[in-house]
Amino acid sequence: MVYLFLLCLIPKPIKDIINVRSEFMKDKILLFIPGYNCEKQVVRVLKQLDKKVMKYINEIIFVNNRSTDNTEKVVLEFKKESGLPIKVLRNDENYNLGGSHKVAFNYALENKFDYVIVLHGDDQGDIHDLLPYLENKEYQKYDCILGSRFEKGSKLKGYSKFRTFGNRVFNIIFSISVGKRISDLGSGLNMYNTKIFENNFYHKFPDKLTFNCCMLFAMSYYKHTYKFIPITWREDDQVSNVKMFSQAKVTLKIAMKYFFNHKYVLSEFREKPIEKYTAKEIKK
């Protein structure tokens, strides 16, 4: 009450300066959208970026992992029509999903972003699930805000009971492995404080889908603070790149290795080590 009373006594020009300074000191947030052959879905993802969302986003990078369809074209067309601050990057090689994350994390560090949000380009997740945490600034309390399909309050649409059961089993296995409660091994909506990336721990992580599993190892090993949040998740016309049984085998293997030796997270996970993950900006 005292603060509000004193604020009323401040002349309007000074109030304006305070408001401008407050706006200037906002966190610098990057939105990273990875995409591969998602021309039918990616425009729906970009249409999620309304005024409520863009209030918190400084820049958007769409990282095209060498798509063979018209994904890149439709993103460029949307950029032109919408006027959104979208930068389209094309990986110099097919780096897979994990490699695209490395391109984005490197970009965030090089351009001094405070946070990076990951939103997959296949329109399975909804960025509005993150809005409450942006609005009340709760994200600032954690190194990682992780979208979970299996938190209380999450909504799954078109997701089979068999896959749901399998994911829950692996959540338990990983919880035991890392010694922390894990409710999702990797959804398409996450937010990270870029300070945790400064030692480049992620560089040797797999370029394939198990990248997110290794991020959980890092969260445990480096004692990153985190919060799983409920999200809405749907499967409509998306094409899954997950080969279920082979993926499960690999995931179980790395979980067991980390359980017996936490320094396993420092290993070289890549089949083909790459010195630098590079991408070119595509303007038209």
Side-chain angles (χ1 to χ4, degrees):
M1 291 295 292
V2 174
Y3 171 78
L4 292 175
F5 174 74
L6 292 174
L7 190 62
C8 291
L9 299 178
I10 298 174
K12 187 176 184 302
I14 298 177
K15 284 183 184 177
D16 291 340
I17 292 171
I18 292 173
N19 290 336
V20 168
R21 179 172 173 80
S22 176
E23 187 73 15
F24 178 75
M25 293 179 68
K26 284 197 311 182
D27 289 316
K28 187 178 179 184
I29 299 177
L30 174 70
L31 173 60
F32 156 51
I33 303 176
Y36 175 74
N37 287 355
C38 55
E39 62 175 300
K40 294 180 180 179
Q41 298 85 23
V42 69
V43 172
R44 301 200 300 261
V45 175
L46 295 170
K47 285 182 176 179
Q48 295 181 25
L49 308 180
D50 55 25
K51 289 182 179 180
K52 289 183 179 179
V53 173
M54 291 308 300
K55 179 181 178 182
Y56 301 97
I57 305 298
N58 296 88
E59 185 179 351
I60 305 155
I61 56 170
F62 177 81
V63 179
N64 174 24
N65 188 43
R66 313 295 297 186
S67 296
T68 56
D69 64 359
N70 290 316
T71 295
E72 192 173 277
K73 180 181 177 182
V74 299
V75 174
L76 288 168
E77 288 175 351
F78 186 90
K79 172 186 176 180
K80 184 177 179 180
E81 293 171 3
S82 68
L84 288 175
I86 303 172
K87 183 176 287 186
V88 178
L89 303 179
R90 183 195 298 160
N91 288 343
D92 289 336
E93 297 180 37
N94 185 326
Y95 296 136
N96 291 297
L97 181 62
S100 291
H101 275 73
K102 296 172 189 180
V103 169
F105 292 170
N106 292 342
Y107 182 92
L109 287 173
E110 290 165 5
N111 292 278
K112 302 187 185 306
F113 283 91
D114 299 303
Y115 293 86
V116 55
I117 296 172
V118 182
L119 175 67
H120 286 191
D122 57 6
D123 192 40
Q124 291 184 300
D126 187 341
I127 197 170
H128 291 90
D129 291 327
L130 196 56
L131 260 183
Y133 307 92
L134 292 170
E135 290 170 347
N136 64 16
K137 299 190 181 298
E138 188 176 356
Y139 70 91
Q140 294 177 339
K141 299 177 182 178
Y142 303 96
D143 295 317
C144 318
I145 295 284
L146 306 173
S148 171
R149 295 162 290 181
F150 311 104
E151 278 290 299
K152 183 179 180 181
S154 294
K155 299 176 182 178
L156 296 178
K157 300 178 181 179
Y159 205 71
S160 73
K161 291 182 179 179
F162 176 74
R163 291 183 67 184
T164 299
F165 173 76
N167 274 276
R168 289 187 181 278
V169 169
F170 272 91
N171 290 341
I172 293 171
I173 292 171
F174 261 71
S175 296
I176 295 170
S177 177
V178 304
K180 295 176 179 285
R181 178 180 172 274
I182 303 297
S183 68
D184 201 321
L185 299 192
S187 73
L189 180 63
N190 296 309
M191 183 173 186
Y192 301 99
N193 187 326
T194 58
K195 287 182 180 179
I196 69 173
F197 299 143
E198 290 176 354
N199 68 349
N200 296 116
F201 66 82
Y202 56 88
H203 189 79
K204 292 183 179 181
F205 285 178
D207 292 332
K208 296 183 178 180
L209 294 174
T210 46
F211 176 85
N212 279 322
C213 296
C214 289
M215 289 292 289
L216 296 176
F217 294 154
M219 187 176 73
S220 165
Y221 185 80
Y222 293 107
K223 302 187 186 307
H224 297 155
T225 57
Y226 69 97
K227 180 182 180 71
F228 282 102
I229 65 170
I231 61 174
T232 302
W233 188 262
R234 62 187 173 276
E235 288 197 356
D236 299 317
D237 56 354
Q238 296 88 352
V239 178
S240 176
N241 292 314
V242 179
K243 295 178 180 178
M244 192 175 301
F245 292 104
S246 60
Q247 183 76 9
K249 183 179 178 181
V250 173
T251 303
L252 180 59
K253 182 179 179 181
I254 63 175
M256 290 179 64
K257 285 190 174 183
Y258 184 79
F259 176 77
F260 288 108
N261 180 12
H262 281 12
K263 288 189 176 181
Y264 175 61
V265 73
L266 305 176
S267 303
E268 173 61 78
F269 288 86
R270 298 167 296 175
E271 296 174 3
K272 176 189 172 185
I274 295 172
E275 183 177 350
K276 191 173 183 180
Y277 292 81
T278 55
K280 291 182 177 65
E281 182 179 359
I282 308 299
K283 297 185 178 180
K284 60 181 180 178

